[in-house]
Amino acid sequence: LSTPYRTRRGVTLVTHGDVNKLFLLNKTMILWGGEVSICIFYPPKDLITDKLSIISGLRTQWGSRLILTIYSSDDSYPINVLRNRATQQVQTDLFFGIDLDFIPDPLLYTYIMEHYDVILKNSQRAVFAVPAFHYNIQLGNDSHFQFDKYALPLTKE
């Protein structure tokens, strides 16, 4: 978690991804209760109408919770540019940066908001490390989150 010195209470998930990985965004939006700022890498050679309509549909589906920026370049995947552009769109006090292929814990946003004041107070002096692989056993069958052991890397089974 980082604080970019913004003015609005909240935590924005910041991510980036290739236009061909947009299918991962819906799961992130479902699991994250706040705003999501994403910068999509869209190489000029991939500019086709069906992908543009997918982006338009995502904007319509998620409304103001989704801050979507497109970056097009002939460069190979410019990770720093994408991350920085997505971060520049953040309007909340805090942001949480992950890669698009990471799946946030479905309870993380709620946890952060419940402990918001303490986290904000300590954010000037601390870095919060969030585990890359975590399965919350308490979710059980009542959750919209389905654990799929085959979605984890083989080293994490």
Side-chain angles (χ1 to χ4, degrees), residues 8-101:
R8 191 160 35 88
R9 183 178 178 87
V11 57
T12 301
L13 187 143
V14 173
T15 191
H16 52 84
D18 184 274
V19 70
N20 295 314
K21 292 190 177 182
L22 277 175
F23 66 93
L24 297 169
L25 185 57
N26 276 326
K27 183 170 255 187
T28 299
M29 295 299 297
I30 290 168
L31 297 176
W32 189 256
E35 293 177 1
V36 173
S37 178
I38 182 170
C39 187
I40 296 294
F41 180 56
Y42 206 146
K45 64 180 174 50
D46 289 344
L47 285 173
I48 53 176
T49 308
D50 66 328
K51 290 181 183 173
L52 291 173
S53 66
I54 291 170
I55 289 170
S56 178
L58 287 167
R59 285 182 166 145
T60 301
Q61 178 180 359
W62 296 107
S64 63
R65 279 191 53 223
L66 178 61
I67 305 159
L68 195 144
T69 306
I70 298 172
Y71 180 79
S72 186
S73 166
D74 287 322
D75 297 337
S76 58
Y77 192 82
I79 188 170
N80 292 333
V81 172
L82 300 174
R83 184 194 60 240
N84 293 343
R85 290 208 174 183
T87 302
Q88 290 167 352
Q89 301 303 313
V90 173
Q91 298 176 11
T92 55
D93 292 327
L94 299 170
F95 69 91
F96 172 55
I98 63 172
D99 288 344
L100 184 57
D101 55 354

Side-chain angles (χ1 to χ4, degrees), residues 86-123:
T87 302
Q88 290 167 352
Q89 301 303 313
V90 173
Q91 298 176 11
T92 55
D93 292 327
L94 299 170
F95 69 91
F96 172 55
I98 63 172
D99 288 344
L100 184 57
D101 55 354
F102 278 43
I103 299 170
D105 183 298
L107 301 178
L108 181 59
Y109 178 80
T110 301
Y111 177 86
I112 292 169
M113 293 310 292
E114 287 174 355
H115 299 90
Y116 187 84
D117 293 326
V118 172
I119 291 171
L120 187 61
K121 178 182 171 191
N122 291 320
S123 68

Side-chain angles (χ1 to χ4, degrees), residues 133-151:
F133 299 98
H134 170 76
Y135 175 60
N136 190 329
I137 203 80
Q138 297 174 351
L139 290 175
N141 294 330
D142 295 335
S143 172
H144 60 274
F145 178 76
Q146 297 295 318
F147 179 68
D148 181 359
K149 73 175 187 170
Y150 301 107

